[in-house]
Amino acid sequence: MLKKMGWCLLTLMTSLSVQANDKAVIGSTANMYVSHAELPYVARIDTGAVNTSLHAIDLKVEGGSAKNMKDNIGKMLSFTTENGQGQTKRLQAKIVKTSTVSNSQGTETRYMVDLDVGFKGKERKVRVNLRDRSHMDYKLLIGRNWLKGRYVVDVADKKYIGPVAPISIVESGMMFKTRIDTGAVENSLHAVDFKIDNEDSDMEKNVGKVIHFTTENEKGESKVVKSRIVETSLIRNAQGSEVRYMVELNIGEAGEEYKVKVNLRDRSKMTYKLLIGRNWLQGHYIVDVSM
């Protein structure tokens, strides 16, 4: 009997694990779209909120508003919404429900409407409560009614990135069409014409010194970059092994760069002049090769 119960428990746990794995991962914020408004929003993903909430002001019930908000259910409501970039749109939707929300400021009753919300091109209908969020950082809040059954939330805020992505290197002032390579431990940047201040023939003795090198992106744009050698790296590949200098550069999606170690090598014969490895991806990105 105990053996049978144990088997049933194992089966149940496996089933729950499979169900969880079937759900997509979403971070604590996401770029969302409200198709009725034709506006993009940076949305806060909030598992503490039952319902999704959208910034709305100047609410007007068509035909006049009844004193009791519940008596307006079924009527058309017009309102103005605004995203984080200051873009506004006047919308119209049918009131489908009212919602009483309790928070640190007390309780308030809000109108609820059905809107298509989600990633652009993949929006789906969800019930949304309307409130003035003008003093809040996020004009769209995604609640459990949008997440349930479809998403798990990763508060580490990992984002998805494809096998090729446009990546910026701040020190070069250039964008690179970049290969995202989970098989590579380190990032690698095309670099030629090395000039090291007080260079020594022993590479290890150059660690800590300033290095100047020329890099180039796939468009043929080039720039001389100045950095400091932080260490050397022994790289093994199909051609054998080689020692490369490593520097720290600010690398990332435009406006979201962060400092990371990069090894320098001549990649002139390679399609991608910048290769992103696990030391840039780890803790920040999930790679989706279908993107």
Side-chain angles (χ1 to χ4, degrees), residues 10 44 54 60 75 90 92 124 132 176 228:
L10 178 61
R44 166 62 74 196
L54 178 67
K60 291 184 181 177
K75 296 180 181 179
R90 189 75 180 166
Q92 188 180 63
R124 52 190 167 83
D132 185 347
F176 292 76
R228 189 174 295 277

Side-chain angles (χ1 to χ4, degrees), residues 61-74:
V61 179
E62 291 192 7
S65 177
K67 188 173 182 180
N68 188 329
M69 290 180 68
K70 286 188 176 180
D71 292 336
N72 291 319
I73 293 173

Side-chain angles (χ1 to χ4, degrees), residues 54-241:
L54 178 67
H55 172 59
I57 56 173
D58 299 330
L59 279 64
K60 291 184 181 177
V61 179
E62 291 192 7
S65 177
K67 188 173 182 180
N68 188 329
M69 290 180 68
K70 286 188 176 180
D71 292 336
N72 291 319
I73 293 173
K75 296 180 181 179
M76 295 301 293
L77 177 74
S78 60
F79 59 93
T80 298
T81 188
E82 181 180 350
N83 64 11
Q85 290 75 50
Q87 298 170 306
T88 63
K89 191 69 179 283
R90 189 75 180 166
L91 297 180
Q92 188 180 63
K94 182 185 287 187
I95 300 168
V96 293
K97 191 179 178 181
T98 60
S99 172
T100 300
V101 178
S102 299
N103 53 36
S104 57
Q105 285 74 48
T107 60
E108 63 176 308
T109 301
R110 305 172 187 169
Y111 288 122
M112 297 193 75
V113 298
D114 287 337
L115 297 174
D116 291 323
V117 178
F119 299 108
K120 190 169 184 181
K122 297 181 180 179
E123 303 89 350
R124 52 190 167 83
K125 196 174 295 293
V126 67
R127 200 144 287 183
V128 178
N129 69 51
L130 305 175
R131 70 158 302 188
D132 185 347
R133 300 179 62 88
S134 55
H135 300 297
M136 298 183 180
D137 292 332
Y138 299 92
K139 309 308 178 190
L140 174 63
L141 179 143
I142 298 294
R144 297 196 301 273
N145 66 333
W146 188 90
L147 296 164
K148 193 172 181 179
R150 296 171 182 263
Y151 288 88
V152 292
V153 180
D154 182 355
V155 294
D157 248 352
K158 298 187 189 78
K159 298 191 293 183
Y160 283 91
I161 195 166
V164 176
I167 298 293
S168 160
I169 297 181
V170 173
E171 290 80 359
S172 74
M174 298 189 300
M175 296 292 296
F176 292 76
K177 184 179 180 181
T178 305
R179 167 60 73 198
I180 310 300
D181 186 353
T182 59
V185 175
E186 302 167 357
N187 308 298
S188 182
L189 175 65
H190 170 62
V192 293
D193 300 330
F194 293 177
K195 291 182 176 61
I196 301 170
D197 294 351
N198 302 313
E199 184 175 6
D200 194 286
S201 57
D202 183 346
M203 291 182 68
E204 289 295 333
K205 291 182 180 178
N206 290 322
V207 173
K209 296 179 180 178
V210 172
I211 185 172
H212 307 256
F213 60 91
T214 300
T215 189
E216 182 179 322
N217 64 15
E218 76 288 345
K219 294 180 180 178
E221 300 168 332
S222 64
K223 183 72 180 287
V224 175
V225 176
K226 175 184 175 182
S227 189
R228 189 174 295 277
I229 300 168
V230 293
E231 62 181 272
T232 60
S233 178
L234 177 63
I235 305 295
R236 293 182 175 88
N237 52 36
Q239 287 72 49
S241 62

